[in-house]
Amino acid sequence: MGLEDLYREIILDHYRSPRNRGELPPPAHRVEGFNPLCGDEVILTLELTDGVVTDIAIGGQGCSISQSSASMMTAAIKGKSVDETREFISAFKTMMSIHQQELGDDEHAELEEINPELKLGDLEALKGVVKFPVRIKCATLGWNTLVQALDELDA
Ligand code: ZN
């Protein structure tokens, strides 16, 4: 199986079996994100306890890229501190801003510099998306919604 196929499988797996799907009940913080270019919608609910993301859920609907990216995001950050979460968001956005399909050594070094412990894991499956600039908005929708939630919580 080639890398492209593997990435496609990972994305489809998260699309078909989204992780942390649904909405947390109040008092969880709730933010809605919308990508008008594609019609994607993300409803993010988030629980912070002592500076740690103790729970997160994703509702809404949209294309496979938007929903699988949000699913991978929840799996990656649940249980992380707010600081770690913000570093992770920053690393993901760096990856999505590199306009070539394969990361070169320099870009890997750049990501590792942000946080040597950081492993993007499944999220690397989304790096092929940067070839299609219009889809980048799909891939980053959940992440921008999460940033909005953290900002609103002043976390
Ligand atoms: Zn989309």
Side-chain angles (χ1 to χ4, degrees), residues 22-23 28-36 40-46 57-61 67 140-150 152:
E23 278 190 52
H29 192 69
R30 186 180 190 276
V31 178
E32 291 180 26
F34 191 59
N35 170 23
D40 306 316
E41 177 193 48
V42 160
I43 297 165
L44 182 144
T45 43
L46 177 74
I58 297 289
Q61 55 195 335
Q67 301 303 308
T140 54
L141 174 62
W143 300 77
N144 291 331
T145 310
L146 174 60
V147 167
Q148 192 188 330
L150 292 174
E152 286 179 5

PDB file of all heavy atoms in Angstrom, residues 22-23 28-36 40-46 57-61 67 140-150 152:
ATOM      1  N   GLY A  22     -20.432  14.015  18.907  1.00  0.00           N
ATOM      2  CA  GLY A  22     -21.610  14.411  19.673  1.00  0.00           C
ATOM      3  C   GLY A  22     -21.429  15.773  20.311  1.00  0.00           C
ATOM      4  O   GLY A  22     -20.616  16.573  19.855  1.00  0.00           O
ATOM      5  N   GLU A  23     -22.233  16.018  21.343  1.00  0.00           N
ATOM      6  CA  GLU A  23     -22.135  17.285  22.058  1.00  0.00           C
ATOM      7  C   GLU A  23     -22.122  17.016  23.554  1.00  0.00           C
ATOM      8  O   GLU A  23     -22.930  16.235  24.046  1.00  0.00           O
ATOM      9  CB  GLU A  23     -23.346  18.183  21.735  1.00  0.00           C
ATOM     10  CG  GLU A  23     -23.202  18.945  20.434  1.00  0.00           C
ATOM     11  CD  GLU A  23     -24.304  20.004  20.265  1.00  0.00           C
ATOM     12  OE1 GLU A  23     -24.491  20.820  21.192  1.00  0.00           O
ATOM     13  OE2 GLU A  23     -24.962  19.986  19.214  1.00  0.00           O
ATOM     14  N   ALA A  28     -20.346  22.571  29.543  1.00  0.00           N
ATOM     15  CA  ALA A  28     -19.252  22.537  28.565  1.00  0.00           C
ATOM     16  C   ALA A  28     -19.355  23.764  27.663  1.00  0.00           C
ATOM     17  O   ALA A  28     -20.455  24.231  27.359  1.00  0.00           O
ATOM     18  CB  ALA A  28     -19.339  21.268  27.730  1.00  0.00           C
ATOM     19  N   HIS A  29     -18.195  24.285  27.262  1.00  0.00           N
ATOM     20  CA  HIS A  29     -18.187  25.463  26.399  1.00  0.00           C
ATOM     21  C   HIS A  29     -18.500  25.034  24.965  1.00  0.00           C
ATOM     22  O   HIS A  29     -17.976  24.041  24.477  1.00  0.00           O
ATOM     23  CB  HIS A  29     -16.819  26.148  26.464  1.00  0.00           C
ATOM     24  CG  HIS A  29     -16.816  27.512  25.842  1.00  0.00           C
ATOM     25  ND1 HIS A  29     -17.481  28.570  26.413  1.00  0.00           N
ATOM     26  CD2 HIS A  29     -16.257  27.989  24.713  1.00  0.00           C
ATOM     27  CE1 HIS A  29     -17.319  29.642  25.656  1.00  0.00           C
ATOM     28  NE2 HIS A  29     -16.585  29.312  24.604  1.00  0.00           N
ATOM     29  N   ARG A  30     -19.359  25.814  24.292  1.00  0.00           N
ATOM     30  CA  ARG A  30     -19.840  25.416  22.965  1.00  0.00           C
ATOM     31  C   ARG A  30     -19.530  26.500  21.941  1.00  0.00           C
ATOM     32  O   ARG A  30     -19.833  27.673  22.167  1.00  0.00           O
ATOM     33  CB  ARG A  30     -21.355  25.200  23.051  1.00  0.00           C
ATOM     34  CG  ARG A  30     -22.001  24.650  21.789  1.00  0.00           C
ATOM     35  CD  ARG A  30     -23.508  24.496  22.049  1.00  0.00           C
ATOM     36  NE  ARG A  30     -24.197  23.765  20.999  1.00  0.00           N
ATOM     37  CZ  ARG A  30     -24.631  24.321  19.864  1.00  0.00           C
ATOM     38  NH1 ARG A  30     -24.431  25.595  19.635  1.00  0.00           N
ATOM     39  NH2 ARG A  30     -25.261  23.586  18.957  1.00  0.00           N
ATOM     40  N   VAL A  31     -18.902  26.095  20.833  1.00  0.00           N
ATOM     41  CA  VAL A  31     -18.593  27.040  19.758  1.00  0.00           C
ATOM     42  C   VAL A  31     -18.953  26.391  18.423  1.00  0.00           C
ATOM     43  O   VAL A  31     -18.676  25.211  18.202  1.00  0.00           O
ATOM     44  CB  VAL A  31     -17.087  27.416  19.744  1.00  0.00           C
ATOM     45  CG1 VAL A  31     -16.781  28.372  18.594  1.00  0.00           C
ATOM     46  CG2 VAL A  31     -16.681  28.061  21.051  1.00  0.00           C
ATOM     47  N   GLU A  32     -19.570  27.174  17.553  1.00  0.00           N
ATOM     48  CA  GLU A  32     -19.886  26.681  16.216  1.00  0.00           C
ATOM     49  C   GLU A  32     -18.928  27.292  15.210  1.00  0.00           C
ATOM     50  O   GLU A  32     -18.643  28.484  15.252  1.00  0.00           O
ATOM     51  CB  GLU A  32     -21.326  27.059  15.837  1.00  0.00           C
ATOM     52  CG  GLU A  32     -22.359  26.304  16.643  1.00  0.00           C
ATOM     53  CD  GLU A  32     -23.785  26.706  16.256  1.00  0.00           C
ATOM     54  OE1 GLU A  32     -23.997  27.156  15.112  1.00  0.00           O
ATOM     55  OE2 GLU A  32     -24.668  26.565  17.122  1.00  0.00           O
ATOM     56  N   GLY A  33     -18.432  26.449  14.305  1.00  0.00           N
ATOM     57  CA  GLY A  33     -17.576  26.919  13.219  1.00  0.00           C
ATOM     58  C   GLY A  33     -18.209  26.583  11.885  1.00  0.00           C
ATOM     59  O   GLY A  33     -18.876  25.554  11.747  1.00  0.00           O
ATOM     60  N   PHE A  34     -17.994  27.459  10.903  1.00  0.00           N
ATOM     61  CA  PHE A  34     -18.621  27.267   9.601  1.00  0.00           C
ATOM     62  C   PHE A  34     -17.633  27.621   8.502  1.00  0.00           C
ATOM     63  O   PHE A  34     -16.930  28.622   8.595  1.00  0.00           O
ATOM     64  CB  PHE A  34     -19.885  28.136   9.511  1.00  0.00           C
ATOM     65  CG  PHE A  34     -20.742  27.815   8.322  1.00  0.00           C
ATOM     66  CD1 PHE A  34     -21.262  26.535   8.138  1.00  0.00           C
ATOM     67  CD2 PHE A  34     -21.029  28.790   7.379  1.00  0.00           C
ATOM     68  CE1 PHE A  34     -22.052  26.233   7.035  1.00  0.00           C
ATOM     69  CE2 PHE A  34     -21.829  28.507   6.269  1.00  0.00           C
ATOM     70  CZ  PHE A  34     -22.341  27.223   6.100  1.00  0.00           C
ATOM     71  N   ASN A  35     -17.574  26.778   7.497  1.00  0.00           N
ATOM     72  CA  ASN A  35     -16.740  27.052   6.325  1.00  0.00           C
ATOM     73  C   ASN A  35     -17.654  27.220   5.121  1.00  0.00           C
ATOM     74  O   ASN A  35     -18.053  26.244   4.489  1.00  0.00           O
ATOM     75  CB  ASN A  35     -15.752  25.895   6.099  1.00  0.00           C
ATOM     76  CG  ASN A  35     -15.035  26.005   4.774  1.00  0.00           C
ATOM     77  OD1 ASN A  35     -14.909  27.084   4.198  1.00  0.00           O
ATOM     78  ND2 ASN A  35     -14.561  24.870   4.273  1.00  0.00           N
ATOM     79  N   PRO A  36     -17.994  28.478   4.780  1.00  0.00           N
ATOM     80  CA  PRO A  36     -18.977  28.725   3.713  1.00  0.00           C
ATOM     81  C   PRO A  36     -18.502  28.255   2.334  1.00  0.00           C
ATOM     82  O   PRO A  36     -19.328  27.961   1.476  1.00  0.00           O
ATOM     83  CB  PRO A  36     -19.163  30.255   3.739  1.00  0.00           C
ATOM     84  CG  PRO A  36     -17.997  30.795   4.456  1.00  0.00           C
ATOM     85  CD  PRO A  36     -17.497  29.720   5.389  1.00  0.00           C
ATOM     86  N   ASP A  40     -19.159  23.260   5.272  1.00  0.00           N
ATOM     87  CA  ASP A  40     -18.815  22.450   6.446  1.00  0.00           C
ATOM     88  C   ASP A  40     -19.227  23.153   7.733  1.00  0.00           C
ATOM     89  O   ASP A  40     -19.068  24.367   7.865  1.00  0.00           O
ATOM     90  CB  ASP A  40     -17.304  22.201   6.529  1.00  0.00           C
ATOM     91  CG  ASP A  40     -16.744  21.594   5.269  1.00  0.00           C
ATOM     92  OD1 ASP A  40     -17.381  20.667   4.743  1.00  0.00           O
ATOM     93  OD2 ASP A  40     -15.688  22.051   4.816  1.00  0.00           O
ATOM     94  N   GLU A  41     -19.703  22.361   8.670  1.00  0.00           N
ATOM     95  CA  GLU A  41     -20.114  22.878   9.968  1.00  0.00           C
ATOM     96  C   GLU A  41     -19.487  22.013  11.062  1.00  0.00           C
ATOM     97  O   GLU A  41     -19.482  20.785  10.954  1.00  0.00           O
ATOM     98  CB  GLU A  41     -21.642  22.800  10.060  1.00  0.00           C
ATOM     99  CG  GLU A  41     -22.208  23.228  11.381  1.00  0.00           C
ATOM    100  CD  GLU A  41     -23.664  22.829  11.510  1.00  0.00           C
ATOM    101  OE1 GLU A  41     -23.983  21.651  11.224  1.00  0.00           O
ATOM    102  OE2 GLU A  41     -24.478  23.669  11.905  1.00  0.00           O
ATOM    103  N   VAL A  42     -18.970  22.677  12.088  1.00  0.00           N
ATOM    104  CA  VAL A  42     -18.416  21.973  13.239  1.00  0.00           C
ATOM    105  C   VAL A  42     -19.001  22.584  14.499  1.00  0.00           C
ATOM    106  O   VAL A  42     -18.969  23.799  14.677  1.00  0.00           O
ATOM    107  CB  VAL A  42     -16.865  22.080  13.271  1.00  0.00           C
ATOM    108  CG1 VAL A  42     -16.333  21.791  14.654  1.00  0.00           C
ATOM    109  CG2 VAL A  42     -16.230  21.140  12.262  1.00  0.00           C
ATOM    110  N   ILE A  43     -19.599  21.745  15.333  1.00  0.00           N
ATOM    111  CA  ILE A  43     -20.063  22.212  16.638  1.00  0.00           C
ATOM    112  C   ILE A  43     -19.147  21.577  17.679  1.00  0.00           C
ATOM    113  O   ILE A  43     -19.125  20.355  17.832  1.00  0.00           O
ATOM    114  CB  ILE A  43     -21.529  21.802  16.891  1.00  0.00           C
ATOM    115  CG1 ILE A  43     -22.425  22.484  15.854  1.00  0.00           C
ATOM    116  CG2 ILE A  43     -21.956  22.178  18.311  1.00  0.00           C
ATOM    117  CD1 ILE A  43     -23.814  21.898  15.761  1.00  0.00           C
ATOM    118  N   LEU A  44     -18.365  22.424  18.301  1.00  0.00           N
ATOM    119  CA  LEU A  44     -17.352  21.928  19.224  1.00  0.00           C
ATOM    120  C   LEU A  44     -17.781  22.218  20.656  1.00  0.00           C
ATOM    121  O   LEU A  44     -18.159  23.344  20.968  1.00  0.00           O
ATOM    122  CB  LEU A  44     -16.016  22.606  18.911  1.00  0.00           C
ATOM    123  CG  LEU A  44     -14.798  22.204  19.727  1.00  0.00           C
ATOM    124  CD1 LEU A  44     -13.555  22.197  18.847  1.00  0.00           C
ATOM    125  CD2 LEU A  44     -14.576  23.142  20.903  1.00  0.00           C
ATOM    126  N   THR A  45     -17.780  21.194  21.489  1.00  0.00           N
ATOM    127  CA  THR A  45     -18.009  21.402  22.915  1.00  0.00           C
ATOM    128  C   THR A  45     -16.769  20.923  23.659  1.00  0.00           C
ATOM    129  O   THR A  45     -16.159  19.916  23.288  1.00  0.00           O
ATOM    130  CB  THR A  45     -19.274  20.669  23.425  1.00  0.00           C
ATOM    131  OG1 THR A  45     -19.324  19.361  22.852  1.00  0.00           O
ATOM    132  CG2 THR A  45     -20.536  21.427  23.052  1.00  0.00           C
ATOM    133  N   LEU A  46     -16.418  21.676  24.692  1.00  0.00           N
ATOM    134  CA  LEU A  46     -15.114  21.507  25.333  1.00  0.00           C
ATOM    135  C   LEU A  46     -15.253  21.662  26.841  1.00  0.00           C
ATOM    136  O   LEU A  46     -15.954  22.542  27.313  1.00  0.00           O
ATOM    137  CB  LEU A  46     -14.181  22.600  24.784  1.00  0.00           C
ATOM    138  CG  LEU A  46     -12.775  22.718  25.314  1.00  0.00           C
ATOM    139  CD1 LEU A  46     -11.910  21.597  24.762  1.00  0.00           C
ATOM    140  CD2 LEU A  46     -12.191  24.070  24.911  1.00  0.00           C
ATOM    141  N   ALA A  57     -15.909  17.204  22.282  1.00  0.00           N
ATOM    142  CA  ALA A  57     -16.769  16.476  21.347  1.00  0.00           C
ATOM    143  C   ALA A  57     -17.039  17.340  20.128  1.00  0.00           C
ATOM    144  O   ALA A  57     -16.988  18.569  20.189  1.00  0.00           O
ATOM    145  CB  ALA A  57     -18.079  16.081  22.028  1.00  0.00           C
ATOM    146  N   ILE A  58     -17.308  16.657  19.015  1.00  0.00           N
ATOM    147  CA  ILE A  58     -17.557  17.332  17.735  1.00  0.00           C
ATOM    148  C   ILE A  58     -18.904  16.902  17.183  1.00  0.00           C
ATOM    149  O   ILE A  58     -19.177  15.709  17.029  1.00  0.00           O
ATOM    150  CB  ILE A  58     -16.458  16.977  16.701  1.00  0.00           C
ATOM    151  CG1 ILE A  58     -15.081  17.454  17.147  1.00  0.00           C
ATOM    152  CG2 ILE A  58     -16.818  17.543  15.319  1.00  0.00           C
ATOM    153  CD1 ILE A  58     -14.869  18.956  17.101  1.00  0.00           C
ATOM    154  N   GLY A  59     -19.742  17.897  16.893  1.00  0.00           N
ATOM    155  CA  GLY A  59     -20.977  17.639  16.169  1.00  0.00           C
ATOM    156  C   GLY A  59     -20.948  18.402  14.859  1.00  0.00           C
ATOM    157  O   GLY A  59     -19.935  18.988  14.500  1.00  0.00           O
ATOM    158  N   GLY A  60     -22.057  18.399  14.145  1.00  0.00           N
ATOM    159  CA  GLY A  60     -22.113  19.097  12.864  1.00  0.00           C
ATOM    160  C   GLY A  60     -21.912  18.139  11.709  1.00  0.00           C
ATOM    161  O   GLY A  60     -21.858  16.920  11.899  1.00  0.00           O
ATOM    162  N   GLN A  61     -21.811  18.712  10.526  1.00  0.00           N
ATOM    163  CA  GLN A  61     -21.627  17.857   9.357  1.00  0.00           C
ATOM    164  C   GLN A  61     -20.872  18.600   8.272  1.00  0.00           C
ATOM    165  O   GLN A  61     -20.809  19.824   8.267  1.00  0.00           O
ATOM    166  CB  GLN A  61     -22.982  17.413   8.826  1.00  0.00           C
ATOM    167  CG  GLN A  61     -23.924  18.577   8.523  1.00  0.00           C
ATOM    168  CD  GLN A  61     -25.355  18.088   8.363  1.00  0.00           C
ATOM    169  OE1 GLN A  61     -25.585  16.936   8.024  1.00  0.00           O
ATOM    170  NE2 GLN A  61     -26.312  18.966   8.608  1.00  0.00           N
ATOM    171  N   GLN A  67     -14.559  16.772   8.608  1.00  0.00           N
ATOM    172  CA  GLN A  67     -15.008  15.951   9.729  1.00  0.00           C
ATOM    173  C   GLN A  67     -13.901  15.020  10.220  1.00  0.00           C
ATOM    174  O   GLN A  67     -13.766  14.807  11.428  1.00  0.00           O
ATOM    175  CB  GLN A  67     -16.262  15.152   9.336  1.00  0.00           C
ATOM    176  CG  GLN A  67     -17.435  16.035   8.892  1.00  0.00           C
ATOM    177  CD  GLN A  67     -17.864  17.076   9.929  1.00  0.00           C
ATOM    178  OE1 GLN A  67     -18.109  16.743  11.081  1.00  0.00           O
ATOM    179  NE2 GLN A  67     -17.936  18.333   9.535  1.00  0.00           N
ATOM    180  N   THR A 140      -8.763  22.884   8.373  1.00  0.00           N
ATOM    181  CA  THR A 140      -8.440  23.700   9.547  1.00  0.00           C
ATOM    182  C   THR A 140      -9.684  24.189  10.294  1.00  0.00           C
ATOM    183  O   THR A 140      -9.563  24.812  11.341  1.00  0.00           O
ATOM    184  CB  THR A 140      -7.585  24.930   9.161  1.00  0.00           C
ATOM    185  OG1 THR A 140      -8.250  25.655   8.117  1.00  0.00           O
ATOM    186  CG2 THR A 140      -6.211  24.508   8.675  1.00  0.00           C
ATOM    187  N   LEU A 141     -10.870  23.879   9.786  1.00  0.00           N
ATOM    188  CA  LEU A 141     -12.103  24.394  10.404  1.00  0.00           C
ATOM    189  C   LEU A 141     -12.209  24.024  11.890  1.00  0.00           C
ATOM    190  O   LEU A 141     -12.428  24.880  12.745  1.00  0.00           O
ATOM    191  CB  LEU A 141     -13.334  23.876   9.640  1.00  0.00           C
ATOM    192  CG  LEU A 141     -14.691  24.223  10.255  1.00  0.00           C
ATOM    193  CD1 LEU A 141     -14.910  25.730  10.293  1.00  0.00           C
ATOM    194  CD2 LEU A 141     -15.829  23.535   9.485  1.00  0.00           C
ATOM    195  N   GLY A 142     -12.078  22.736  12.198  1.00  0.00           N
ATOM    196  CA  GLY A 142     -12.183  22.296  13.591  1.00  0.00           C
ATOM    197  C   GLY A 142     -11.146  22.964  14.477  1.00  0.00           C
ATOM    198  O   GLY A 142     -11.412  23.316  15.623  1.00  0.00           O
ATOM    199  N   TRP A 143      -9.951  23.160  13.927  1.00  0.00           N
ATOM    200  CA  TRP A 143      -8.835  23.742  14.677  1.00  0.00           C
ATOM    201  C   TRP A 143      -9.084  25.214  14.984  1.00  0.00           C
ATOM    202  O   TRP A 143      -8.810  25.685  16.091  1.00  0.00           O
ATOM    203  CB  TRP A 143      -7.540  23.567  13.874  1.00  0.00           C
ATOM    204  CG  TRP A 143      -7.257  22.125  13.628  1.00  0.00           C
ATOM    205  CD1 TRP A 143      -7.879  21.320  12.705  1.00  0.00           C
ATOM    206  CD2 TRP A 143      -6.353  21.282  14.341  1.00  0.00           C
ATOM    207  NE1 TRP A 143      -7.390  20.041  12.809  1.00  0.00           N
ATOM    208  CE2 TRP A 143      -6.458  19.992  13.793  1.00  0.00           C
ATOM    209  CE3 TRP A 143      -5.456  21.510  15.393  1.00  0.00           C
ATOM    210  CZ2 TRP A 143      -5.706  18.929  14.259  1.00  0.00           C
ATOM    211  CZ3 TRP A 143      -4.696  20.451  15.855  1.00  0.00           C
ATOM    212  CH2 TRP A 143      -4.821  19.177  15.297  1.00  0.00           C
ATOM    213  N   ASN A 144      -9.588  25.945  13.970  1.00  0.00           N
ATOM    214  CA  ASN A 144      -9.903  27.352  14.201  1.00  0.00           C
ATOM    215  C   ASN A 144     -11.032  27.490  15.223  1.00  0.00           C
ATOM    216  O   ASN A 144     -11.053  28.430  16.023  1.00  0.00           O
ATOM    217  CB  ASN A 144     -10.296  28.021  12.880  1.00  0.00           C
ATOM    218  CG  ASN A 144      -9.106  28.143  11.942  1.00  0.00           C
ATOM    219  OD1 ASN A 144      -7.965  28.244  12.389  1.00  0.00           O
ATOM    220  ND2 ASN A 144      -9.367  28.116  10.641  1.00  0.00           N
ATOM    221  N   THR A 145     -11.968  26.547  15.176  1.00  0.00           N
ATOM    222  CA  THR A 145     -13.075  26.562  16.139  1.00  0.00           C
ATOM    223  C   THR A 145     -12.548  26.295  17.546  1.00  0.00           C
ATOM    224  O   THR A 145     -12.974  26.915  18.518  1.00  0.00           O
ATOM    225  CB  THR A 145     -14.125  25.504  15.743  1.00  0.00           C
ATOM    226  OG1 THR A 145     -14.448  25.671  14.357  1.00  0.00           O
ATOM    227  CG2 THR A 145     -15.397  25.656  16.564  1.00  0.00           C
ATOM    228  N   LEU A 146     -11.576  25.394  17.653  1.00  0.00           N
ATOM    229  CA  LEU A 146     -10.961  25.103  18.952  1.00  0.00           C
ATOM    230  C   LEU A 146     -10.215  26.319  19.489  1.00  0.00           C
ATOM    231  O   LEU A 146     -10.303  26.639  20.678  1.00  0.00           O
ATOM    232  CB  LEU A 146     -10.011  23.907  18.816  1.00  0.00           C
ATOM    233  CG  LEU A 146      -9.180  23.542  20.041  1.00  0.00           C
ATOM    234  CD1 LEU A 146     -10.072  23.187  21.232  1.00  0.00           C
ATOM    235  CD2 LEU A 146      -8.230  22.389  19.729  1.00  0.00           C
ATOM    236  N   VAL A 147      -9.486  27.003  18.617  1.00  0.00           N
ATOM    237  CA  VAL A 147      -8.764  28.212  19.038  1.00  0.00           C
ATOM    238  C   VAL A 147      -9.773  29.241  19.570  1.00  0.00           C
ATOM    239  O   VAL A 147      -9.545  29.877  20.607  1.00  0.00           O
ATOM    240  CB  VAL A 147      -7.945  28.820  17.867  1.00  0.00           C
ATOM    241  CG1 VAL A 147      -7.456  30.212  18.204  1.00  0.00           C
ATOM    242  CG2 VAL A 147      -6.785  27.918  17.514  1.00  0.00           C
ATOM    243  N   GLN A 148     -10.891  29.382  18.864  1.00  0.00           N
ATOM    244  CA  GLN A 148     -11.924  30.323  19.304  1.00  0.00           C
ATOM    245  C   GLN A 148     -12.435  29.938  20.696  1.00  0.00           C
ATOM    246  O   GLN A 148     -12.599  30.785  21.568  1.00  0.00           O
ATOM    247  CB  GLN A 148     -13.067  30.336  18.293  1.00  0.00           C
ATOM    248  CG  GLN A 148     -14.042  31.492  18.524  1.00  0.00           C
ATOM    249  CD  GLN A 148     -15.283  31.390  17.643  1.00  0.00           C
ATOM    250  OE1 GLN A 148     -15.219  30.841  16.527  1.00  0.00           O
ATOM    251  NE2 GLN A 148     -16.398  31.886  18.124  1.00  0.00           N
ATOM    252  N   ALA A 149     -12.658  28.634  20.908  1.00  0.00           N
ATOM    253  CA  ALA A 149     -13.148  28.170  22.211  1.00  0.00           C
ATOM    254  C   ALA A 149     -12.136  28.481  23.307  1.00  0.00           C
ATOM    255  O   ALA A 149     -12.498  28.985  24.376  1.00  0.00           O
ATOM    256  CB  ALA A 149     -13.432  26.662  22.152  1.00  0.00           C
ATOM    257  N   LEU A 150     -10.857  28.210  23.058  1.00  0.00           N
ATOM    258  CA  LEU A 150      -9.814  28.471  24.068  1.00  0.00           C
ATOM    259  C   LEU A 150      -9.720  29.976  24.339  1.00  0.00           C
ATOM    260  O   LEU A 150      -9.569  30.385  25.500  1.00  0.00           O
ATOM    261  CB  LEU A 150      -8.463  27.932  23.592  1.00  0.00           C
ATOM    262  CG  LEU A 150      -8.334  26.406  23.498  1.00  0.00           C
ATOM    263  CD1 LEU A 150      -6.994  26.031  22.884  1.00  0.00           C
ATOM    264  CD2 LEU A 150      -8.516  25.744  24.850  1.00  0.00           C
ATOM    265  N   GLU A 152     -12.103  32.220  23.969  1.00  0.00           N
ATOM    266  CA  GLU A 152     -13.294  32.662  24.709  1.00  0.00           C
ATOM    267  C   GLU A 152     -13.209  32.281  26.186  1.00  0.00           C
ATOM    268  O   GLU A 152     -13.726  32.986  27.045  1.00  0.00           O
ATOM    269  CB  GLU A 152     -14.561  32.042  24.084  1.00  0.00           C
ATOM    270  CG  GLU A 152     -14.938  32.700  22.752  1.00  0.00           C
ATOM    271  CD  GLU A 152     -16.170  32.081  22.108  1.00  0.00           C
ATOM    272  OE1 GLU A 152     -16.806  31.197  22.730  1.00  0.00           O
ATOM    273  OE2 GLU A 152     -16.483  32.472  20.988  1.00  0.00           O
TER     274      GLU A 152
END
